[in-house]
Amino acid sequence: MPRVRLALWAAAVLAACGLGLLLIPRGAPEPGPAAVGGPFTLTSDKGTRVKSSDFDGTYRLIYFGYTYCPDVCPTELSRMASVLERLGAKADRIQPLFVTVDPERDTPDVLRAYVKHFGPRLVGLTGTPEELKPVLSAFRVYSRKQEQAGSAVGYLMDHSSVLYLMGTEGEFITFFTADDAVEDIAERLAALP
Ligand code: NI
Protein backbone atom coordinates (compact mmCIF):
# COMPACT_ATOMS: atom_id res chain seq x y z
CA MET A 1 0.00 0.00 0.00
CA PRO A 2 1.66 3.24 -1.11
CA ARG A 3 1.60 6.08 1.32
CA VAL A 4 0.92 9.38 -0.26
CA ARG A 5 0.49 12.85 1.01
CA LEU A 6 -2.17 14.86 -0.71
CA ALA A 7 -2.19 18.48 -1.51
CA LEU A 8 -4.93 20.31 -3.31
CA TRP A 9 -4.44 23.45 -5.29
CA ALA A 10 -7.75 24.70 -6.60
CA ALA A 11 -5.97 27.44 -8.41
CA ALA A 12 -5.12 27.42 -12.06
CA VAL A 13 -7.74 27.96 -14.67
CA LEU A 14 -7.05 25.85 -17.71
CA ALA A 15 -8.94 25.42 -20.94
CA ALA A 16 -12.65 25.90 -21.40
CA CYS A 17 -13.45 23.23 -18.86
CA GLY A 18 -11.79 25.45 -16.28
CA LEU A 19 -9.67 22.87 -14.55
CA GLY A 20 -8.95 23.04 -10.89
CA LEU A 21 -5.56 21.48 -10.48
CA LEU A 22 -5.26 18.48 -8.28
CA LEU A 23 -1.69 17.76 -7.46
CA ILE A 24 -0.78 14.62 -5.62
CA PRO A 25 2.97 14.47 -5.15
CA ARG A 26 4.38 11.16 -6.29
CA GLY A 27 7.73 11.70 -4.61
CA ALA A 28 9.12 10.29 -1.41
CA PRO A 29 6.57 8.61 0.85
CA GLU A 30 5.59 10.58 3.90
CA PRO A 31 3.94 9.49 7.12
CA GLY A 32 0.19 9.18 7.17
CA PRO A 33 -2.42 6.87 5.75
CA ALA A 34 -3.19 6.76 2.06
CA ALA A 35 -6.51 8.48 2.38
CA VAL A 36 -7.86 8.55 -1.14
CA GLY A 37 -11.26 7.14 -1.91
CA GLY A 38 -13.60 5.07 0.16
CA PRO A 39 -16.82 3.12 -0.01
CA PHE A 40 -19.79 4.63 -1.80
CA THR A 41 -23.38 3.91 -2.75
CA LEU A 42 -24.59 5.71 -5.87
CA THR A 43 -27.02 5.24 -8.77
CA SER A 44 -25.82 3.74 -12.03
CA ASP A 45 -26.71 4.89 -15.53
CA LYS A 46 -29.15 1.96 -15.58
CA GLY A 47 -30.97 3.51 -12.64
CA THR A 48 -29.91 0.81 -10.17
CA ARG A 49 -28.27 1.39 -6.81
CA VAL A 50 -24.59 0.46 -6.91
CA LYS A 51 -22.17 -0.04 -4.03
CA SER A 52 -18.41 0.18 -4.43
CA SER A 53 -18.24 -3.33 -2.97
CA ASP A 54 -20.26 -4.57 -5.97
CA PHE A 55 -17.00 -4.21 -7.90
CA ASP A 56 -14.90 -6.18 -5.44
CA GLY A 57 -12.63 -8.60 -7.25
CA THR A 58 -11.96 -6.15 -10.08
CA TYR A 59 -9.65 -3.19 -10.31
CA ARG A 60 -11.38 0.12 -10.98
CA LEU A 61 -10.42 3.08 -13.12
CA ILE A 62 -12.45 6.03 -11.87
CA TYR A 63 -12.82 9.39 -13.54
CA PHE A 64 -14.85 12.28 -12.14
CA GLY A 65 -16.40 14.76 -14.57
CA TYR A 66 -19.69 15.69 -16.21
CA THR A 67 -21.44 15.06 -19.49
CA TYR A 68 -21.77 18.73 -20.46
CA CYS A 69 -18.00 19.17 -20.25
CA PRO A 70 -16.93 20.71 -23.56
CA ASP A 71 -13.46 19.22 -23.81
CA VAL A 72 -11.51 17.78 -20.93
CA CYS A 73 -13.89 14.98 -19.94
CA PRO A 74 -14.46 13.64 -23.47
CA THR A 75 -10.71 13.76 -24.07
CA GLU A 76 -9.85 11.89 -20.88
CA LEU A 77 -12.66 9.34 -21.28
CA SER A 78 -11.47 8.67 -24.83
CA ARG A 79 -7.97 8.11 -23.47
CA MET A 80 -9.35 5.74 -20.85
CA ALA A 81 -11.16 3.82 -23.61
CA SER A 82 -7.90 3.64 -25.61
CA VAL A 83 -6.05 2.30 -22.58
CA LEU A 84 -8.62 -0.47 -22.12
CA GLU A 85 -8.55 -1.32 -25.82
CA ARG A 86 -4.80 -1.72 -25.66
CA LEU A 87 -5.13 -4.12 -22.76
CA GLY A 88 -7.24 -6.57 -24.73
CA ALA A 89 -8.47 -9.43 -22.53
CA LYS A 90 -6.60 -7.99 -19.54
CA ALA A 91 -9.12 -5.13 -19.54
CA ASP A 92 -11.77 -7.54 -18.24
CA ARG A 93 -10.37 -7.32 -14.73
CA ILE A 94 -10.66 -3.53 -14.72
CA GLN A 95 -14.01 -1.80 -14.28
CA PRO A 96 -14.10 1.71 -15.77
CA LEU A 97 -16.33 4.15 -13.86
CA PHE A 98 -17.40 7.71 -14.61
CA VAL A 99 -18.73 9.60 -11.59
CA THR A 100 -20.51 12.87 -12.24
CA VAL A 101 -19.70 16.10 -10.46
CA ASP A 102 -22.93 17.56 -11.91
CA PRO A 103 -25.81 15.48 -10.50
CA GLU A 104 -28.26 18.27 -11.25
CA ARG A 105 -28.04 17.55 -14.99
CA ASP A 106 -26.43 14.12 -15.11
CA THR A 107 -29.42 11.89 -14.47
CA PRO A 108 -29.08 8.15 -15.13
CA ASP A 109 -30.62 8.63 -18.60
CA VAL A 110 -28.25 11.43 -19.53
CA LEU A 111 -25.29 9.40 -18.25
CA ARG A 112 -26.36 6.27 -20.11
CA ALA A 113 -26.54 8.13 -23.43
CA TYR A 114 -23.09 9.58 -22.76
CA VAL A 115 -21.01 6.68 -21.46
CA LYS A 116 -21.79 4.45 -24.45
CA HIS A 117 -19.54 6.68 -26.54
CA PHE A 118 -16.55 5.58 -24.48
CA GLY A 119 -16.67 1.83 -24.71
CA PRO A 120 -19.21 -0.85 -23.83
CA ARG A 121 -18.08 -1.35 -20.23
CA LEU A 122 -17.97 2.19 -18.90
CA VAL A 123 -20.49 2.62 -16.07
CA GLY A 124 -21.80 6.08 -15.22
CA LEU A 125 -22.59 6.90 -11.60
CA THR A 126 -24.69 9.70 -10.21
CA GLY A 127 -26.64 10.43 -7.05
CA THR A 128 -28.12 13.22 -5.05
CA PRO A 129 -25.79 16.12 -4.25
CA GLU A 130 -25.83 14.89 -0.65
CA GLU A 131 -24.70 11.42 -1.75
CA LEU A 132 -22.01 12.70 -4.05
CA LYS A 133 -20.50 15.28 -1.74
CA PRO A 134 -18.71 12.83 0.59
CA VAL A 135 -17.57 10.74 -2.39
CA LEU A 136 -16.00 13.74 -4.11
CA SER A 137 -14.45 14.71 -0.82
CA ALA A 138 -13.03 11.22 -0.23
CA PHE A 139 -11.40 11.23 -3.67
CA ARG A 140 -10.10 14.78 -3.20
CA VAL A 141 -12.07 15.91 -6.23
CA TYR A 142 -12.32 19.62 -6.75
CA SER A 143 -15.47 20.85 -8.48
CA ARG A 144 -17.27 24.15 -8.60
CA LYS A 145 -20.17 25.50 -10.59
CA GLN A 146 -19.33 28.35 -12.93
CA GLU A 147 -22.30 30.28 -14.25
CA GLN A 148 -22.14 31.12 -17.95
CA ALA A 149 -24.25 34.23 -18.46
CA GLY A 150 -26.10 34.17 -21.77
CA SER A 151 -24.96 30.63 -22.58
CA ALA A 152 -27.39 27.90 -23.57
CA VAL A 153 -25.73 25.41 -21.22
CA GLY A 154 -26.27 27.75 -18.27
CA TYR A 155 -23.17 26.73 -16.38
CA LEU A 156 -19.96 24.77 -16.57
CA MET A 157 -18.27 22.84 -13.79
CA ASP A 158 -14.71 23.62 -12.89
CA HIS A 159 -13.25 20.29 -11.90
CA SER A 160 -10.03 18.44 -11.31
CA SER A 161 -9.09 15.88 -13.95
CA VAL A 162 -7.55 12.77 -12.45
CA LEU A 163 -7.87 9.11 -13.37
CA TYR A 164 -7.77 6.97 -10.24
CA LEU A 165 -6.63 3.38 -10.21
CA MET A 166 -8.20 1.53 -7.31
CA GLY A 167 -7.54 -2.03 -6.25
CA THR A 168 -9.78 -5.07 -6.15
CA GLU A 169 -11.21 -4.04 -2.78
CA GLY A 170 -11.52 -0.38 -3.66
CA GLU A 171 -8.20 0.67 -2.17
CA PHE A 172 -6.17 3.45 -3.75
CA ILE A 173 -3.23 2.27 -5.88
CA THR A 174 -2.20 5.25 -7.97
CA PHE A 175 -3.53 7.94 -10.27
CA PHE A 176 -2.90 9.25 -13.77
CA THR A 177 -3.29 12.65 -15.35
CA ALA A 178 -3.26 14.08 -18.87
CA ASP A 179 0.54 14.00 -18.59
CA ASP A 180 0.55 10.20 -18.63
CA ALA A 181 0.61 8.67 -22.11
CA VAL A 182 -1.99 6.06 -23.01
CA GLU A 183 0.79 3.52 -23.65
CA ASP A 184 2.33 4.14 -20.22
CA ILE A 185 -0.99 3.79 -18.41
CA ALA A 186 -1.74 0.59 -20.32
CA GLU A 187 1.69 -0.79 -19.42
CA ARG A 188 1.11 -0.02 -15.74
CA LEU A 189 -2.28 -1.73 -15.78
CA ALA A 190 -1.00 -4.74 -17.69
CA ALA A 191 1.57 -5.24 -14.93
CA LEU A 192 -1.04 -5.42 -12.16
CA PRO A 193 -0.82 -8.69 -10.27
NI1 NI B 1 -14.60 17.96 -17.76
Side-chain angles (χ1 to χ4, degrees), residues 17 19 63-66 68-74 98 101 157 159-161:
C17 202
L19 270 187
Y63 187 79
F64 294 82
Y66 69 115
Y68 283 71
C69 183
D71 44 26
V72 176
C73 290
F98 176 62
V101 298
M157 295 295 292
H159 68 93
S160 48
S161 179

Side-chain angles (χ1 to χ4, degrees), residues 41-43 49 99-107 125-137 143 145 155 157:
T41 302
L42 293 169
T43 299
R49 296 294 280 170
V99 184
T100 187
V101 298
D102 184 15
E104 198 179 312
R105 292 184 295 198
D106 286 342
T107 62
L125 295 173
T126 186
T128 64
E130 293 72 30
E131 286 169 344
L132 280 162
K133 197 176 171 193
V135 180
L136 302 184
S137 172
S143 70
K145 187 184 280 192
Y155 63 90
M157 295 295 292

Side-chain angles (χ1 to χ4, degrees), residues 136-147:
L136 302 184
S137 172
F139 281 83
R140 306 296 191 265
V141 173
Y142 165 78
S143 70
R144 192 171 58 89
K145 187 184 280 192
Q146 207 175 53
E147 302 291 344

